[in-house]
């Protein structure tokens, strides 16, 4: 069992940056691949980024590639999402998730956090 708690969301202007954090409980954190998803009002939850258990491989949605960076610190049970050059269309609730492999689909993840709101003003 893994419990996830996101933080770091907020209001930022277009072109600004935010760093989201996800704190995981449990000693098995390093056994899980981690993903970030987001859900805007009236839209489906979509994949943003994912990272392998050891952090060596990362994956990104085309919409965020080159602007967002996912990373993890297994010693601290933390995963991060650095978001730069933010756009109004990045506005959403952002969720971190844990699963056996870094897949770009919701069904690939077993555990989810409650989400943190990111709002980008134009």
């Amino acid at each position: 069992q893994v419990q996830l708690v996101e933080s770091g969301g907020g209001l930022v202007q277009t072109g600004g940056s935010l760093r989201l954090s996800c704190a995981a409980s449990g000693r098995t954190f390093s056994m899980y691949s981690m993903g970030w998803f987001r859900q805007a009002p009236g839209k489906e939850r979509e994949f943003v980024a994912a990272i392998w258990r050891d952090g060596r491989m990362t994956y990104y949605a085309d919409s965020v590639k080159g602007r967002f960076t996912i990373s993890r610190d297994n010693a601290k049970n933390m995963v991060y999402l650095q978001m730069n050059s933010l756009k109004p269309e990045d506005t959403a609730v952002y969720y971190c998730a844990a699963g056996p492999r870094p897949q770009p689909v919701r069904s690939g993840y077993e555990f989810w956090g409650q989400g943190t709101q990111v709002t980008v003003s134009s």
Side-chain angles (χ1 to χ4, degrees):
Q1 189 82 7
V2 177
Q3 293 184 328
L4 304 171
V5 179
E6 302 95 336
S7 62
L11 174 64
V12 64
Q13 291 184 334
T14 297
S17 298
L18 281 175
R19 188 194 195 203
L20 304 184
S21 299
C22 176
S25 65
R27 292 179 287 180
T28 59
F29 174 72
S30 62
M31 296 175 59
Y32 290 92
S33 292
M34 300 297 296
W36 284 97
F37 286 72
R38 66 187 181 186
Q39 188 166 15
K43 295 187 176 181
E44 295 289 319
R45 192 172 299 187
E46 64 175 6
F47 170 75
V48 175
I51 188 166
W52 269 105
R53 289 169 285 185
D54 60 5
R56 292 185 182 182
M57 296 293 290
T58 58
Y59 307 88
Y60 297 94
D62 287 343
S63 59
V64 306
K65 203 170 293 183
R67 300 188 298 122
F68 290 12
T69 302
I70 187 171
S71 62
R72 67 190 295 164
D73 185 337
N74 286 346
K76 296 182 178 179
N77 281 16
M78 297 291 294
V79 62
Y80 306 99
L81 185 68
Q82 177 67 44
M83 305 186 296
N84 299 328
S85 302
L86 283 161
K87 305 174 182 180
E89 50 264 44
D90 295 318
T91 295
V93 177
Y94 283 71
Y95 299 88
C96 69
R101 285 172 294 279
Q103 300 181 64
V105 293
R106 292 180 61 178
S107 59
Y109 296 84
E110 302 174 37
F111 306 105
W112 292 82
Q114 293 300 306
T116 184
Q117 176 71 46
V118 172
T119 303
V120 185
S121 63
S122 57

